[in-house]
């Protein structure tokens, strides 16, 4: 068989096997903190968000209190931006008085007490796309809109009255996909409209941030994150044009997108493209911060509003798809958490909204019931946030050897968490949990799971374009110890919560950095634009600069491409002219059901010392057949101290954990703020101790406390 024939056969086989069941292994080391570009925090206020603004009618306040206080969820976005105010554009002179009225809606005797108590500045405000028509007519109108937006943030909020200024301003919601309705004439091109939107957003950014330096202004709240569609015309005509125009006319502080049906391979490659482009075009070699302001799954058959609200009947397969895609985007985006300003799921708690008034519940609603007097109850979508209950602390080292299985790990002083998801769409996989430096001692393990119990597709499933039918299942079991293996069903989400016997201390570290291609050559000539088309048999050389060196470290070469499923699944790869063969072609999940190409990232692990043995490391790619596009090639570099090096994954040779010394100074991890376990010197078992109340508390002797020998445990939620 010819080389081309062999590659094509492998391509077809890969498509067949991509969802097959096999084993996977993840490495975990809770003692090694993972610093990604210097950052280590799993910050719930940034990462665990629903869509809304904490406002709830009286009949839903108990539910709002549960989701915020018990589950630690924040409501991070609302569509009450500056141009949505009724006084714009005709009554702008009433800015101060209207601003006071806006504050009075939060701070008053009859106001929602929960909202005032819970609201923080870490939230986003945005205007609907149609508000562009108020400002796009002339330069004078744009200036008026920009100045009004700047004054809006100055006068419509008051931190001293419990209504802090939002930190983020998105200029408009999903304007790029609505470009046709925003044309000035029927002959105006898409790029012309997008360029104008970028110009307006850039000028608004300048005005807002000049008057309010603490506010970040960005956009474009793109309706999807699928740059590869139409051979990357989606990227060139929309995101690239918007960014170029906004930066030329003013500023743009962050990029925002909506992740619908694109977690896994697509988001992996999308993030690399956005970071590479902004790094290379910023003029300062800095990437723009990134925000996911909506996430989940969407299909046009699920909901419509053409003057009459229609929501399709709820189905277990639909609920699972919404949650699985939301979690998939989350798991993909956490890889670059250092640059992730906010991750907001499109899950709402608003029983008085118009969307909730249909015969069936709004597909993305956390609660069921409509109206201020209705009986409100949770929908199954609440399990998404129950899955993530308590997760907070430092990112610690984790690694998966299977692209279909993503893993992240987090640790604080008392607990450690392992987050897992299987991106395959059929079958299941047994995931081996490996601890190179030994298993930690635990008091107990809570195993939380969200998965789909499958059944045959029905007519109802097909009418909502679901590819899998079944029943959403939630499991929350307590185990005595850490399991050796965890079964992950197709698309399933799992969180292991480990209650540690000893306080968790940082004893080592892995420092991760990302590096972007400096230039690309073919036949000795530079390729100045990217993504670029693939020609079979041609060798593409990608050069990098300023890669950090480090003994025993690892580099992960990330090759992002977009190819038809029948094309060769992977290229030949050389590093510094040395052929590399020990890598897999698998990407995170199979091809999505949109577009004609499979877009994602192939990861090639490589020894860091060998990579940096030359001044300008070179990665060369050659495909056997024509077709498709190379999007980016990036490097992810893991440097380790002596103790942590043995944990690094992807090595081609064995590396035994021998060294116990560390260049990292031991540091006690922070206590979680949501624990019902108080640790303080007065908690000693002595008579008449004021903390001993009505038998609802008990003293617990705990080793390695920072102060004293005992902790006070609350035996009931109402204790104290």
């Amino acid at each position: 068989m010819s080389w081309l024939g062999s590659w094509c056969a492998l391509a077809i086989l890969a498509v067949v096997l991509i969802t097959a069941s096999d084993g996977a292994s993840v490495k975990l080391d809770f003692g090694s903190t993972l610093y990604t570009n210097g950052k280590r925090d799993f910050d719930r206020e940034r990462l665990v968000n629903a869509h809304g603004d904490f406002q709830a009618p009286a009949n839903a306040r108990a539910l709002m209190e549960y989701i915020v206080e018990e589950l630690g969820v924040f409501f991070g976005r609302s569509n009450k931006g500056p141009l949505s105010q009724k006084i714009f554009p005709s009554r702008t002179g009433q800015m101060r008085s209207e601003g006071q009225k806006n504050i009075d809606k939060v701070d008053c005797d009859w106001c929602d007490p929960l909202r005032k108590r819970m609201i923080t500045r870490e939230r986003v405000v945005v205007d609907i796309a149609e508000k562009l028509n108020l400002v796009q007519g002339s330069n004078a109108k744009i200036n008026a809109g920009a100045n009004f937006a700047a004054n809006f943030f100055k006068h419509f909020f008051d931190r001293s009255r419990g209504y802090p200024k939002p930190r983020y301003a998105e200029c408009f919601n999903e304007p790029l996909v609505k470009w046709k309705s925003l044309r000035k004439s029927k002959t105006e091109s898409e790029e012309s409209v997008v360029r104008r939107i970028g110009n307006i957003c850039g000028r608004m950014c300048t005005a807002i941030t000049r008057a309010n330096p603490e506010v970040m202004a960005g956009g474009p709240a793109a309706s999807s994150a699928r740059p590869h569609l139409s051979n990357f015309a989606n990227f060139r005509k929309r995101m690239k044009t918007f960014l170029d125009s906004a930066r030329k006319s003013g500023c743009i502080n962050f990029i925002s997108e909506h992740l619908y049906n694109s977690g896994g391979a697509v988001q992996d490659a999308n993030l690399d493209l956005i970071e590479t482009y902004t790094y290379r075009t910023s003029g300062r070699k800095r990437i723009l911060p990134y925000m996911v302001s909506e996430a989940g799954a969407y299909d046009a058959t699920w909901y419509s509003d053409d003057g009459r609200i229609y929501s399709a009947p709820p189905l277990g397969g639909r609920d699972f798809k919404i949650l699985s895609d939301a979690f998939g985007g989350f798991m993909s985006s956490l890889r670059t958490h250092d640059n992730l300003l906010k991750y907001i799921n499109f899950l709402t708690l608003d029983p008085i909204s118009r969307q909730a008034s249909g015969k069936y519940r709004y597909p993305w609603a956390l609660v069921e019931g409509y109206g201020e007097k209705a009986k409100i109850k949770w929908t199954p979508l609440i399990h998404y946030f129950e899955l993530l209950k308590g997760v907070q602390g430092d990112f610690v080292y984790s690694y998966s050897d299977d692209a279909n299985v993503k893993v992240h790990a987090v640790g604080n002083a008392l607990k450690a968490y392992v987050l897992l998801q299987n991106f395959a769409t059929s079958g299941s996989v047994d995931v081996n949990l490996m601890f190179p430096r030994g298993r930690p001692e635990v008091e107990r393990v809570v195993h939380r799971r969200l998965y789909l119990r499958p059944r045959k597709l029905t007519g109802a499933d097909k009418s909502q374009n679901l590819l899998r039918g079944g029943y959403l299942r939630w499991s929350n079991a307590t185990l005595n110890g850490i399991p050796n293996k965890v079964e992950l069903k197709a698309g399933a989400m799992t969180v292991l919560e480990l209650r540690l016997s000893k306080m968790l201390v940082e004893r080592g570290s892995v420092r991760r950095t990302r590096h972007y291609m400096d230039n690309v050559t073919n036949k000795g000539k530079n390729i100045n634009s990217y993504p670029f088309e693939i020609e079979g048999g041609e060798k593409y050389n990608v050069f990098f600069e300023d890669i950090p060196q480090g003994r025993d470290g690892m580099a992960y070469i990330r090759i992002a491409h977009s190819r038809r499923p029948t094309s060769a699944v992977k290229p030949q790869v050389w590093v510094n002219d040395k052929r590399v063969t020990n890598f897999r072609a698998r990407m995170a999940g199979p091809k999505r059901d949109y577009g004609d190409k499979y877009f994602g990232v192939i990861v090639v692990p490589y020894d860091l010392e060998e990579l940096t043995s030359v001044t300008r490391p070179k990665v060369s790619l050659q495909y056997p057949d024509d077709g498709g596009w190379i999007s980016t090639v990036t490097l992810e570099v893991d440097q380790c101290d002596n103790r942590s090096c043995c944990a690094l994954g992807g090595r081609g040779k064995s590396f035994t954990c021998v060294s116990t010394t560390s260049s990292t100074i031991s540091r006690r991890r922070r206590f979680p703020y949501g624990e019902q376990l108080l640790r303080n010197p007065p908690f000693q078992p002595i008579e008449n101790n004021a903390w001993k109340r009505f038998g609802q508390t008990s003293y617990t002797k705990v080793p390695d406390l920072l102060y004293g020998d005992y902790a006070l445990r609350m035996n009931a939620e109402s204790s104290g």
Side-chain angles (χ1 to χ4, degrees), residues 93 101 107 127 146 209 410 421 460 472 513 542 570 593 646 716 718:
K101 291 179 183 178
D107 181 31
D127 283 306
T209 55
V410 176
Q421 185 172 23
L472 178 64
T513 51
V542 183
K570 67 178 183 179
D593 58 357
C646 65
S718 59

Side-chain angles (χ1 to χ4, degrees), residues 395-430:
F395 281 94
V396 295
Y397 186 78
S398 62
Y399 177 85
S400 171
D401 68 357
D402 188 336
N404 272 343
V405 176
K406 285 194 182 292
V407 61
H408 294 285
V410 176
N412 57 53
L414 307 178
K415 293 181 179 180
Y417 299 86
V418 182
L419 285 64
L420 293 160
Q421 185 172 23
N422 180 9
F423 281 81
T425 52
S426 66
S428 62
V429 59
D430 287 329

Side-chain angles (χ1 to χ4, degrees), residues 323-379:
L323 299 187
S324 184
D325 272 329
F327 198 75
F330 181 65
M331 294 293 280
S332 291
S333 301
L334 283 185
R335 180 181 62 87
T336 60
H337 70 86
D338 58 295
N339 196 51
L340 182 61
L341 293 176
K342 216 160 181 67
Y343 191 93
I344 303 172
N345 295 281
F346 192 71
L347 297 172
T348 66
L349 200 168
D350 191 357
I352 60 174
S353 69
R354 187 170 180 274
Q355 290 94 330
S357 64
K359 178 180 178 181
Y360 300 107
R361 62 176 166 92
Y362 186 52
W364 301 274
L366 289 163
V367 293
E368 189 168 359
Y370 173 66
E372 294 185 359
K373 296 182 179 180
K375 184 177 180 180
I376 307 300
K377 64 179 182 179
W378 293 115
T379 70

Side-chain angles (χ1 to χ4, degrees), residues 518-580:
D518 182 57
N519 71 305
V520 183
T521 66
N522 171 239
K523 298 178 180 177
K525 296 181 179 179
N526 286 335
I527 297 176
N528 295 316
S529 64
Y530 61 93
F532 54 91
E533 287 189 84
I534 295 169
E535 292 185 37
E538 294 292 329
K539 184 177 281 190
Y540 302 98
N541 301 305
V542 183
F543 293 89
F544 296 87
E545 289 188 342
D546 302 322
I547 305 303
Q549 297 180 338
R551 183 180 177 184
D552 298 328
M554 286 293 295
Y556 303 92
I557 303 163
R558 299 175 55 83
I559 302 166
H561 67 195
S562 175
R563 308 206 80 202
R564 294 182 185 275
T566 53
S567 299
V569 294
K570 67 178 183 179
Q572 291 191 74
V573 177
W574 294 262
V575 176
N576 300 332
D577 297 321
K578 181 180 178 181
R579 178 79 184 276
V580 182

Side-chain angles (χ1 to χ4, degrees), residues 88-107:
F88 183 82
S90 59
R91 295 183 287 125
T92 56
Q94 300 175 22
M95 172 70 76
R96 291 179 182 272
S97 60
E98 285 297 313
Q100 285 302 306
K101 291 179 183 178
N102 188 62
I103 297 167
D104 289 342
K105 292 177 182 178
V106 174
D107 181 31

Side-chain angles (χ1 to χ4, degrees), residues 27 552 554 582 607 609-610 646 648-656:
K27 284 187 173 183
D552 298 328
M554 286 293 295
N582 60 335
D607 181 81
E609 281 188 278
E610 289 191 33
C646 65
L648 298 189
R651 295 190 187 277
K653 55 187 178 182
S654 61
F655 196 107
T656 306

Side-chain angles (χ1 to χ4, degrees), residues 155-385:
H155 300 303
F156 274 61
F157 308 94
D158 188 340
R159 187 172 187 174
S160 67
R161 294 183 61 187
Y163 196 28
K165 189 182 299 186
R167 187 178 179 189
Y168 306 107
E170 276 184 302
C171 49
F172 301 99
N173 186 56
E174 299 187 347
L176 307 188
V177 73
K178 300 173 182 176
W179 68 272
K180 286 186 178 180
S181 66
L182 298 169
R183 290 180 295 183
K184 289 186 175 181
S185 70
K186 291 185 178 180
T187 59
E188 187 176 14
S189 69
E190 179 178 359
E191 286 174 279
S192 173
V193 176
V194 172
R195 195 175 296 114
R196 182 167 62 253
I197 295 170
N199 174 276
I200 293 170
C201 289
R203 290 164 68 172
M204 289 182 70
C205 172
T206 299
I208 290 170
T209 55
R210 184 179 293 153
N212 307 271
E214 69 275 38
V215 175
M216 297 179 69
S223 61
S224 70
R226 307 170 188 175
H228 64 297
L229 295 184
S230 302
N231 292 329
F232 288 94
N234 235 32
F235 173 71
R236 292 190 303 273
K237 291 183 178 181
R238 294 185 180 178
M239 184 59 75
K240 179 181 181 297
T241 299
F242 172 85
L243 290 174
D244 292 348
S245 177
R247 289 190 289 193
K248 183 178 180 180
S249 66
C251 65
I252 192 82
N253 298 145
F254 63 85
I255 297 169
S256 62
E257 292 187 305
H258 296 170
L259 294 191
Y260 287 109
N261 311 358
S262 58
V266 174
Q267 178 65 351
D268 292 344
N270 175 59
L271 284 172
D272 284 352
L273 176 57
I274 286 177
E275 289 196 350
T276 298
Y277 183 74
T278 58
Y279 176 84
R280 293 190 60 175
T281 58
S282 68
R284 298 175 296 170
K285 291 191 173 182
R286 291 173 59 183
I287 59 176
L288 269 178
Y290 182 74
M291 176 187 292
V292 176
S293 52
E294 291 183 18
Y298 170 83
D299 190 90
T301 64
W302 298 351
Y303 174 82
S304 65
D305 180 4
D306 54 1
R308 182 179 65 89
I309 296 293
Y310 170 76
S311 292
L315 293 168
R318 186 183 75 190
D319 287 342
F320 178 77
K321 180 168 177 56
I322 289 171
L323 299 187
S324 184
D325 272 329
F327 198 75
F330 181 65
M331 294 293 280
S332 291
S333 301
L334 283 185
R335 180 181 62 87
T336 60
H337 70 86
D338 58 295
N339 196 51
L340 182 61
L341 293 176
K342 216 160 181 67
Y343 191 93
I344 303 172
N345 295 281
F346 192 71
L347 297 172
T348 66
L349 200 168
D350 191 357
I352 60 174
S353 69
R354 187 170 180 274
Q355 290 94 330
S357 64
K359 178 180 178 181
Y360 300 107
R361 62 176 166 92
Y362 186 52
W364 301 274
L366 289 163
V367 293
E368 189 168 359
Y370 173 66
E372 294 185 359
K373 296 182 179 180
K375 184 177 180 180
I376 307 300
K377 64 179 182 179
W378 293 115
T379 70
L381 301 183
I382 189 61
H383 293 315
Y384 178 94
F385 293 117

Side-chain angles (χ1 to χ4, degrees), residues 397 399 510-515 544 547-559 575-576 580 582-583 602-613 617-619 634-640 648-652:
Y397 186 78
Y399 177 85
V510 175
R511 298 187 178 271
R512 177 170 295 168
T513 51
R514 297 190 298 281
H515 306 271
F544 296 87
I547 305 303
Q549 297 180 338
R551 183 180 177 184
D552 298 328
M554 286 293 295
Y556 303 92
I557 303 163
R558 299 175 55 83
I559 302 166
V575 176
N576 300 332
V580 182
N582 60 335
F583 66 96
I602 295 171
V603 178
V604 182
Y606 201 77
D607 181 81
L608 181 59
E609 281 188 278
E610 289 191 33
L611 177 75
T612 56
S613 61
K618 179 176 70 172
V619 176
T634 58
L635 289 178
E636 201 165 72
V637 172
D638 282 0
Q639 296 172 282
C640 53
L648 298 189
R651 295 190 187 277

